[in-house]
């Protein structure tokens, strides 16, 4: 009886009902800040300590090590005195443990090693260095998550490049097997393969784990759903916890349909809604609720405030991103002066490129910050490359910067060739630049291949031409730099090409703006200004947090600032973006705030290399924060990244959505074959 009181103490009626429903399929629809983790561990304690289910017969899966660690610690503190603790881990950790015991059934040894993403890319590069490695790695991951063998991938591919990728995939798989390696995708894919091909094993595994709980169910993908169904071969005691309103990972394969159609996948499901929010002030929840109500594809729930009204949500209007940065830095400084801990303040944004102006504003105000889940703007590789080009153009003796850019974009110059030239330059007491420029071609050919010698000479000539252009017109120089060296081509075909190019355009725009405001400044003075901005002193003591909305999920702060609330930034529009997922991103960002929420928009920003006038986000109107007509758009159920099936062409992945009259046209990659199909002729998987 004392234990029962301990388990149910502090739970609200909805949480208690969810904890007690232990048999059959259960969906716990848990709103933001509604005590989801408390409900999960209370249910686990109820199973083990009240119903007497052996801990070894339970399995609780989540997505991050951090979440698994927190739940494990809290559940052990509640359950106590267990000889064998319950298995509570990530999907990938479960796959690892399962394969250790069963991979021999695939004719492989159980002392395998799991490789990380960098290892994977190194192996791929060894097999093929012509095609972009990130593209190959991404396609191999997609094949594995679609349960396609190299032969399947090859048969489906019609484009030559994709046939090549399928062959590389085959060689990659051979390499892994020969070296007794598995990658991250294998941990789930091979586990499913074993359960799917061995009925006895599936039954034994399902009998072992009689009670299964899945956290963050809205983030599961197609393969994870199939794995869960195999784990339920002999029973249907599956309890999933999640929030359809916080499904924001469609771009990386998560399927919101898994939570929306849970009752179709698991018949007889009982649904419990956790709607009482213990995190945010009522004024914040009012705005978040109003916004998310505009989504049509949702199971429907309303966050109910348990805290007082608190401060009204603040709206910040600025002329441009620089004024916005000044205002936000000033507001943050006031919070700090009032005694708010720096770690309780966060600045969130939808698009990473927006962080640059805020970083500069915080630097100028002397406010420490930590950039979560990404590099500071000036520390990003593509920006460092640009800065290195500028440094060499202003100072030809900068060997360090020259070595960084000599092969960007690729010029076929190997490390050994550069080292030989560097040694010769040092022997002649000059820089690499001056040495290549002044010595005869025959002297260079004696050191490196003729082709490389000619390439180096041409590279230095081009740098000279651009340097002369910089002297004539500093403003136009940045266009000449790009036209001469095609620096955006460095990232062509990479998974994050668009984001890197966006960052480069942001830098180009920053440069033009600097020159426009200070036309008398030379290139070296611009670099000096940059150094002051980017060489922030090592962060000591407390820091505020800056991060993307995606990175903020699962976190909470006393005060949250959301920047970039303009059409095109939040919501992101075009290229198959999903307005409902954009709205869910807005909802997630708002519900991170406990006591203070500031929503910021600017009249103009530098974007893609030029200043663009912007319109305030429709989300202000939808959230009830301003008057105005609603922007109503026909919304396609399909978005970029979705898997679809066509009755003739089979399974494919959408990589573009456009409108044709009243219909939507989908650009679909059917394993290497690109086709344009009307949306009404395919079904989403």
């Amino acid at each position: 009886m004392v234990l029962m009181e301990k388990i149910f103490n502090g739970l609200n009626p909805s949480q208690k009902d969810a904890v007690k429903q232990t048999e059959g399929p259960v969906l716990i629809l848990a709103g933001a800040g509604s005590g989801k983790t408390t409900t999960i561990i209370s249910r686990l304690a109820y199973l083990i300590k009240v119903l007497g289910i052996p801990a070894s017969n339970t399995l609780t899966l989540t997505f991050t090590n951090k979440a698994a660690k927190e739940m494990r610690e809290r559940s052990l503190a509640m359950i106590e005195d267990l000889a064998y603790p319950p298995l509570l881990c990530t999907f990938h950790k479960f796959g690892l443990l399962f394969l250790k015991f069963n991979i021999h059934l695939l004719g492989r040894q159980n002392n395998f090693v799991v490789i990380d993403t960098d290892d994977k890319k190194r192996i791929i590069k060894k097999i093929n260095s012509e095609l972009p490695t990130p593209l190959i790695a991404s396609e191999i991951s997609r094949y594995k998550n679609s349960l396609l063998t190299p032969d399947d991938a090859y048969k489906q591919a019609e484009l030559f490049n994709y046939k090549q990728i399928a062959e590389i995939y085959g060689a990659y798989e051979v390499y892994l097997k020969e070296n007794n390696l598995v990658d991250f995708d294998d941990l789930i894919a091979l586990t499913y393969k074993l359960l799917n091909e061995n009925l006895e094993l599936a039954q034994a595994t399902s009998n072992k784990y009689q009670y299964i709980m899945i956290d963050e169910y809205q983030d599961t993908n197609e393969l994870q759903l199939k794995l869960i169904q195999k784990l339920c071969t002999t029973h249907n005691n599956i309890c999933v916890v999640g929030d359809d309103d916080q499904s924001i990972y469609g771009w990386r394969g998560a399927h919101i349909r898994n939570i929306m159609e849970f009752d179709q996948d698991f018949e007889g499901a009982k649904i419990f809604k956790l709607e009482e929010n213990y995190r945010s002030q009522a004024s914040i929840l009012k705005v978040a609720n109003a916004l998310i109500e505009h989504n049509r594809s949702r199971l429907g729930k309303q966050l109910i405030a348990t805290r007082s009204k608190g401060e009204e949500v603040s709206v910040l209007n600025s002329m441009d991103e620089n004024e916005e940065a000044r205002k936000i830095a000033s507001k943050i400084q006031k919070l700090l002066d009032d005694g708010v801990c720096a770690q309780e303040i966060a600045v969130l944004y939808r698009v990473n490129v927006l962080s640059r102006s805020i970083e500069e504003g915080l630097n100028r105000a002397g406010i420490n910050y930590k950039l979560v889940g990404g590099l500071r703007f000036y520390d990003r590789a593509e920006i460092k490359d640009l800065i290195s080009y500028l440094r060499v153009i202003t100072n030809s003796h900068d060997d360090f910067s020259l070595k960084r850019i000599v092969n960007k974009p690729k010029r076929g110059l190997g490390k050994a060739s550069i080292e030989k030239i560097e040694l010769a330059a040092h022997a002649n007491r000059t820089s690499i630049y001056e040495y290549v420029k002044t010595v005869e071609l025959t002297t260079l050919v004696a050191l490196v291949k003729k082709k490389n010698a000619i390439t180096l000479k041409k590279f230095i000539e081009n740098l000279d031409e651009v340097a002369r252009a910089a002297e004539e017109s500093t403003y136009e120089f940045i266009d000449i730099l790009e036209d001469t060296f095609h620096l955006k081509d460095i990232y062509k075909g990479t998974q994050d090409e668009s984001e890197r190019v966006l960052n480069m355009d942001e830098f180009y725009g920053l440069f033009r703006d600097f020159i426009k405001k200070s036309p008398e400044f030379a290139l070296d003075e611009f670099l000096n200004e940059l150094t002051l901005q980017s060489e922030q002193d090592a962060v000591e003591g407390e820091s505020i947090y800056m991060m993307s909305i995606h990175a903020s999920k699962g976190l909470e702060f006393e005060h949250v600032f959301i920047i970039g609330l303009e059409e095109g930034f939040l919501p992101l529009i075009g290229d198959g973006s999903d307005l409902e997922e954009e709205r869910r991103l807005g909802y997630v960002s708002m519900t991170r705030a406990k006591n203070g929420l500031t929503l910021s928009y600017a009249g103009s920003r530098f974007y893609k290399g030029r200043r663009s006038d912007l319109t305030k986000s429709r989300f202000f109107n939808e959230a009830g924060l301003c008057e105005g007509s609603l922007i109503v758009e026909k919304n396609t159920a399909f978005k970029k990244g979705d898997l679809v099936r066509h009755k003739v062409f089979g399974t494919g992945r959408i990589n573009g959505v456009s409108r044709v009259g009243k219909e939507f046209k989908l650009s679909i990659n059917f394993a290497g074959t690109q086709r344009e199909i009307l949306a009404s002729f395919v079904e989403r998987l």
Side-chain angles (χ1 to χ4, degrees), residues 408-410 482 485-494 497 501 504:
K408 290 181 178 181
K410 285 184 178 173
E482 179 59 43
F485 293 109
H486 308 289
L487 301 180
K488 291 177 185 175
D489 289 353
I490 298 172
Y491 301 101
K492 211 163 204 168
T494 61
E497 177 185 357
V501 169
M504 293 170 82

Side-chain angles (χ1 to χ4, degrees), residues 59-316:
L59 172 65
T60 307
L61 298 176
T62 186
F63 279 86
T64 66
N65 289 319
K66 182 186 172 197
K69 181 173 181 285
E70 182 193 346
M71 283 199 284
R72 195 159 47 243
E73 288 171 353
R74 287 179 61 179
S75 63
L76 290 177
M78 181 177 280
I79 298 166
E80 294 174 353
D81 307 324
L82 274 185
Y84 298 100
L87 184 54
L88 201 163
C89 61
T90 63
F91 272 92
H92 289 94
K93 180 64 182 290
F94 173 75
L96 173 64
L97 295 170
F98 183 84
L99 291 178
K100 284 289 180 185
F101 285 104
N102 300 293
I103 201 168
H104 65 278
L105 296 172
L106 295 173
R108 297 173 68 167
Q109 296 172 307
N110 70 352
N111 62 339
F112 59 83
V113 173
V114 183
I115 60 170
D116 62 18
T117 308
D118 288 339
D119 296 327
K120 178 180 179 179
K121 287 178 179 175
R122 274 195 288 271
I123 293 165
I124 290 169
K125 205 170 185 68
K126 207 179 286 184
I127 296 167
N128 181 291
S129 59
E130 293 174 14
L131 291 174
T133 302
L135 173 67
I136 301 168
S138 172
E139 284 301 296
I140 289 174
S141 183
R142 186 172 68 80
Y143 293 146
K144 291 193 177 191
N145 278 285
S146 301
L147 300 171
L148 292 175
T149 65
D151 285 344
D152 295 332
Y154 189 84
K155 283 171 190 167
Q156 287 187 18
E158 289 183 19
L159 296 178
F160 176 70
N161 276 0
Y162 282 88
K163 283 193 179 295
Q164 259 189 302
I165 291 172
E167 288 174 345
I168 295 162
Y169 175 29
Y172 171 77
E173 287 293 88
V174 169
Y175 183 92
L176 293 192
K177 285 171 189 169
E178 285 178 350
N179 292 276
N180 202 24
L181 306 171
V182 300
D183 62 22
F184 260 66
D185 295 309
D186 286 330
L187 295 175
I188 309 289
L190 293 181
T191 296
Y192 173 76
K193 180 180 167 69
L194 281 163
L195 292 171
N196 190 46
E197 294 175 358
N198 297 272
L199 180 58
E200 285 184 16
L201 178 61
Q203 289 173 334
T205 306
S206 185
N207 283 330
K208 176 174 172 58
Y209 301 114
Q210 284 286 316
Y211 293 88
I212 298 169
M213 284 196 286
I214 313 291
D215 186 26
E216 302 287 10
Y217 192 66
Q218 77 280 348
D219 294 337
T220 54
N221 62 23
E222 184 187 3
L223 181 56
Q224 284 158 340
L225 170 60
K226 287 183 173 181
L227 174 59
I228 292 162
Q229 288 172 323
K230 286 296 169 188
L231 293 172
C232 292
T233 299
T234 63
H235 64 81
N236 63 355
N237 296 329
I238 171 76
C239 172
V240 304
V241 188
D243 183 1
D244 55 320
D245 290 333
Q246 294 189 70
S247 177
I248 59 173
Y249 294 113
W251 52 276
R252 71 178 188 199
H255 275 294
I256 192 172
R257 61 93 34 217
N258 289 1
I259 194 166
M260 298 290 292
E261 299 175 15
F262 177 78
D263 57 345
Q264 294 175 37
D265 295 329
F266 300 93
E267 284 183 25
K270 289 188 166 55
I271 299 174
F272 298 90
K273 295 182 181 180
L274 307 187
E275 297 177 297
E276 290 182 49
N277 175 284
Y278 300 98
R279 177 188 297 155
S280 306
Q281 300 274 22
S283 57
I284 295 169
L285 294 188
K286 181 185 173 187
V287 170
N289 279 330
L291 174 65
I292 202 64
E293 276 174 9
H294 286 79
N295 271 4
R296 297 172 220 161
S297 303
R298 60 192 297 254
L299 295 168
K301 65 178 180 334
Q302 181 96 354
L303 288 181
I304 301 163
T306 60
R307 299 184 61 202
S308 62
K309 184 182 178 184
E311 298 173 18
E312 291 294 340
V313 172
S314 173
V315 175
L316 205 59

Side-chain angles (χ1 to χ4, degrees), residues 565-585:
L565 272 153
E566 302 103 21
E567 291 291 301
F569 286 109
L570 184 60
L572 209 58
I573 297 168
D575 198 21
S577 62
D578 181 344
L579 183 57
E580 297 224 340
E581 185 155 315
E582 293 300 307
R583 213 173 265 117
R584 291 194 292 270
L585 278 161

Side-chain angles (χ1 to χ4, degrees), residues 252-450:
R252 71 178 188 199
H255 275 294
I256 192 172
R257 61 93 34 217
N258 289 1
I259 194 166
M260 298 290 292
E261 299 175 15
F262 177 78
D263 57 345
Q264 294 175 37
D265 295 329
F266 300 93
E267 284 183 25
K270 289 188 166 55
I271 299 174
F272 298 90
K273 295 182 181 180
L274 307 187
E275 297 177 297
E276 290 182 49
N277 175 284
Y278 300 98
R279 177 188 297 155
S280 306
Q281 300 274 22
S283 57
I284 295 169
L285 294 188
K286 181 185 173 187
V287 170
N289 279 330
L291 174 65
I292 202 64
E293 276 174 9
H294 286 79
N295 271 4
R296 297 172 220 161
S297 303
R298 60 192 297 254
L299 295 168
K301 65 178 180 334
Q302 181 96 354
L303 288 181
I304 301 163
T306 60
R307 299 184 61 202
S308 62
K309 184 182 178 184
E311 298 173 18
E312 291 294 340
V313 172
S314 173
V315 175
L316 205 59
N317 174 19
S318 305
M319 241 183 356
D320 58 23
E321 72 277 15
N322 298 315
E323 185 184 352
E324 176 186 60
R326 285 195 299 273
K327 285 181 177 178
I328 286 177
S330 173
K331 275 179 161 278
I332 289 173
Q333 188 59 62
K334 186 174 187 316
L335 288 172
L336 295 172
D337 292 343
D338 289 344
V340 177
C341 290
Q343 292 99 319
E344 288 294 342
I345 303 170
V347 180
L348 309 181
Y349 36 81
R350 169 69 177 92
V351 183
N352 284 326
V353 75
L354 297 189
S355 74
R356 192 268 306 165
S357 56
I358 300 294
E359 287 180 61
E360 291 185 357
L362 294 174
N363 280 337
R364 280 193 293 268
I367 297 170
N368 289 337
Y369 65 89
K370 284 178 186 167
L371 202 64
V372 176
L375 292 168
R376 293 188 299 136
F377 184 78
Y378 295 111
D379 287 341
R380 291 169 180 148
E382 61 274 20
I383 304 304
K384 283 190 164 186
D385 292 341
L386 286 174
I387 291 171
S388 293
Y389 264 96
L390 300 192
R391 281 178 174 159
V392 171
I393 287 161
T394 57
N395 176 16
S396 61
H397 300 298
D398 186 347
D399 282 357
F400 178 79
S401 296
L402 186 111
K403 283 192 289 181
R404 181 180 178 96
I405 61 170
V406 73
N407 236 356
K408 290 181 178 181
K410 285 184 178 173
R411 300 184 174 89
L413 298 164
K415 194 177 174 185
S417 297
I418 301 304
E419 284 175 354
K420 286 177 186 174
I421 299 290
E422 186 177 20
L423 284 170
H426 288 178
N428 282 272
R429 296 174 180 246
T430 186
S431 64
I432 297 172
Y433 187 113
E434 290 301 319
Y435 182 76
V436 173
K437 182 178 178 177
T438 54
V439 299
E440 296 293 326
L441 183 63
T442 50
T443 308
L444 280 182
V445 172
L447 292 170
V448 297
K449 291 177 186 172
K450 186 177 181 181

Side-chain angles (χ1 to χ4, degrees), residues 491-561:
Y491 301 101
K492 211 163 204 168
T494 61
Q495 214 171 359
D496 54 358
E497 177 185 357
S498 58
E499 186 176 333
R500 289 185 185 270
V501 169
L502 201 62
N503 288 335
M504 293 170 82
D505 284 334
E506 172 81 359
F507 182 86
Y508 290 158
L510 177 69
F511 177 84
R512 291 190 191 97
D513 194 47
F514 180 86
I515 298 304
K516 199 184 283 183
K517 288 175 181 172
S518 315
E520 73 286 355
F521 274 25
L523 198 53
D524 58 342
E525 287 169 300
F526 170 72
L527 284 171
N528 290 338
E529 284 291 311
L530 274 194
T531 305
L532 293 176
Q533 296 285 4
S534 57
E535 293 294 324
Q536 185 192 22
D537 294 333
V539 174
E540 289 179 12
E542 294 188 346
S543 307
I544 71 155
Y545 288 98
M546 287 182 59
M547 67 190 82
S548 69
I549 296 170
H550 284 100
S552 75
K553 188 167 170 289
L555 302 176
E556 59 182 30
F557 303 92
E558 294 286 337
H559 296 270
V560 170
F561 294 82

